[in-house]
Amino acid sequence: MMIQFLTRLRPIIAVQQQIRHCTVPVTPSTPTPTPVAAPHVPVLCQTAIEYLEPRPKGKYIDMTFGAGGHTRRLLDSCPEATVYALDRDPIAYELAQRLSQESAYAGRLVPLLGKFSDLPQLLTDRNVPRHSFDGILFDFGCSSMQFDEAARGFSIAHNGPLDMRMDCGRSGGVSAADVLARIEEADLARILRVYGEEKAAKKIARAIVEARGALQRIETTRQLAELVASVLGDGQRQDKLQRPAHLATKTFQALRIFVNNELNEINYGMLLAQEYLRAQGRLVAITFHSLEDTIVKRHINGNVIEGVANPLPLKYCGHDITHDPALLESFVQSNWQQLHRHVILPDATEIASNSRSRSAKLRAAIKIK
């Protein structure tokens, strides 16, 4: 009965497989820009380090290295700690390599290039055993570097090719433009509704398919943003924090999540945290929208079915439909002990200095079994 709740995202996973195995030529990989001094400001940085409680000779994984702000702070706070820095973005990986060559961090920073799901093989290649890390840090979503670089195709504000691949196409896959050129209308509407929480998903999907039928391939961020705005009219939108938002924001979010398989990677990343942390090891996760935060929260609370975060809260799971004591017990057991009573939010000072921190939420937990 409860497995029915997991079927919500499975049709979307099937769509990903269909598009990726299509014989139509795929957009070539986006040329990798030359790394520059990273302008990205890490969110909730000091709070994250405090919850990790770094200790001498401790081993940590920064699962989302980005521009390295969290990793640098972690290494500076504990001179004898070692950090394995993972990122799928080749630009972030090059930044990690540069940082690892600085005298202050030599031998203490291990750059890793790949997705969360690549981590087991990357660590196996380096003879790193499971249950050997003292802390794991996640900082989900896109970095400022990705949003601010027009050629990456993430930003509504900067016109560029509609790509959105976090790894710059290094591992293949399809760009957002490729998705819009091939996907069925019903599948596109489902992606916009589930991944973007877009109420006008059907209208937007219909307009995109009609534009495609008129031989107008949507290849730039500006084309997509203008098309969505024309469908939704001139009205103003606000996000969940009552901030002004572009009409195409949810569409861009949905496509980015789909192209990069983000939610499945996050779910798998939470499973890996359980596998690689030692007993009493610490987990810190920073999320930026409700889909990310829900997965993290459900894992910490133990609301996981067959390795997947349950789409429904425990209070809606219908415990009365079963009389199996072991099954009932599994619903309320967790491998984690949360370190705070309420979710951690940035304070007014941080928001004033870094506006992109406004939607951030931090959750921290200790692995107890």
Side-chain angles (χ1 to χ4, degrees):
M1 183 78 174
M2 295 192 56
I3 304 304
Q4 296 175 10
F5 300 135
L6 301 179
T7 62
R8 187 181 180 207
L9 298 182
R10 285 176 181 160
I12 295 179
I13 297 171
V15 172
Q16 289 174 323
Q17 295 171 342
Q18 292 169 7
I19 292 176
R20 289 186 174 122
H21 288 88
C22 181
T23 56
V24 179
V26 176
T27 300
S29 301
T30 301
T32 303
T34 302
V36 295
H40 178 70
V41 179
V43 174
L44 290 166
C45 188
Q46 186 57 37
T47 305
I49 303 308
E50 289 173 359
Y51 273 110
L52 281 174
E53 284 191 353
R55 62 182 192 173
K57 298 185 179 180
K59 287 201 309 182
Y60 300 87
I61 309 178
D62 184 346
M63 297 286 279
T64 45
F65 178 80
H70 288 106
T71 289
R72 187 186 292 269
R73 183 73 65 87
L74 176 57
L75 290 170
D76 288 343
S77 67
C78 191
E80 296 182 10
T82 300
V83 176
Y84 288 73
L86 176 72
D87 207 295
R88 68 166 80 182
D89 191 330
I91 300 172
Y93 177 66
E94 289 192 40
L95 290 173
Q97 288 182 311
R98 289 184 179 184
L99 188 62
S100 70
Q101 293 167 4
E102 294 184 14
S103 58
Y105 309 119
R108 301 172 54 219
L109 175 59
V110 183
L112 302 173
L113 178 61
K115 308 183 296 294
F116 299 159
S117 53
D118 296 325
L119 183 66
Q121 187 60 53
L122 291 170
L123 293 181
T124 297
D125 292 344
R126 290 160 178 79
N127 298 314
V128 179
R130 300 194 176 199
H131 310 297
S132 62
F133 286 91
D134 298 285
I136 291 181
L137 170 67
F138 293 96
D139 181 12
F140 297 118
C142 284
S143 70
S144 298
M145 294 188 302
Q146 292 168 329
F147 275 122
D148 293 340
E149 179 62 51
R152 304 298 299 274
F154 291 102
S155 176
I156 297 173
H158 305 288
N159 187 38
L162 192 60
D163 193 290
M164 297 192 184
R165 288 174 289 188
M166 288 183 174
D167 65 356
C168 298
R170 180 185 67 89
S171 59
V174 294
S175 68
D178 293 321
V179 172
L180 297 184
R182 308 173 198 177
I183 195 168
E184 297 292 332
E185 181 180 330
D187 293 327
L188 178 57
R190 187 181 302 116
I191 288 169
L192 298 180
R193 184 177 65 254
V194 176
Y195 288 163
E197 301 177 295
E198 173 58 72
K199 294 180 180 178
K202 289 185 178 180
K203 289 177 63 176
I204 295 171
R206 171 65 58 86
I208 290 172
V209 171
E210 287 179 350
R212 187 172 69 196
L215 303 179
Q216 181 183 353
R217 181 179 168 94
I218 302 172
E219 295 184 324
T220 68
T221 56
R222 179 175 297 166
Q223 285 178 305
L224 178 59
E226 291 178 350
L227 176 60
V228 174
S230 69
V231 171
L232 300 182
D234 298 327
Q236 296 295 317
R237 273 191 171 181
Q238 293 182 323
D239 62 16
K240 292 182 178 180
L241 298 177
Q242 303 304 306
R243 300 171 300 178
H246 192 283
L247 295 172
T249 297
K250 292 183 177 181
T251 297
F252 272 66
Q253 173 184 303
L255 286 173
R256 190 200 80 211
I257 290 173
F258 177 78
V259 165
N260 295 289
N261 197 23
E262 287 182 42
L263 299 188
N264 290 312
E265 284 290 322
I266 291 172
N267 186 80
Y268 191 56
M270 291 297 294
L271 295 175
L272 290 176
Q274 170 68 21
E275 285 295 312
Y276 282 96
L277 280 175
R278 63 171 179 80
Q280 300 300 306
R282 292 185 167 231
L283 165 73
V284 174
I286 302 171
T287 63
F288 289 87
H289 60 73
S290 60
L291 299 176
E292 296 172 345
D293 186 56
T294 296
I295 294 173
V296 173
K297 181 169 59 177
R298 300 278 160 82
H299 274 273
I300 290 176
N301 291 339
N303 189 6
V304 178
I305 305 173
E306 295 184 348
V308 180
N310 189 353
L312 289 183
L314 283 172
K315 63 181 180 180
Y316 295 126
C317 287
H319 297 171
D320 57 322
I321 64 172
T322 178
H323 300 285
D324 183 346
L327 184 58
L328 284 173
E329 184 68 18
S330 70
F331 292 149
V332 295
Q333 283 190 339
S334 174
N335 296 315
W336 304 98
Q337 177 184 337
Q338 191 157 288
L339 291 171
H340 46 83
R341 185 170 183 180
H342 302 291
V343 65
I344 308 298
L345 304 176
D347 59 24
T349 301
E350 179 166 6
I351 293 173
S353 63
N354 181 12
S355 62
R356 288 178 175 171
S357 70
R358 288 181 293 184
S359 57
K361 295 181 179 180
L362 183 149
R363 295 184 186 274
I366 292 178
K367 177 184 170 182
I368 57 177
K369 63 178 179 178

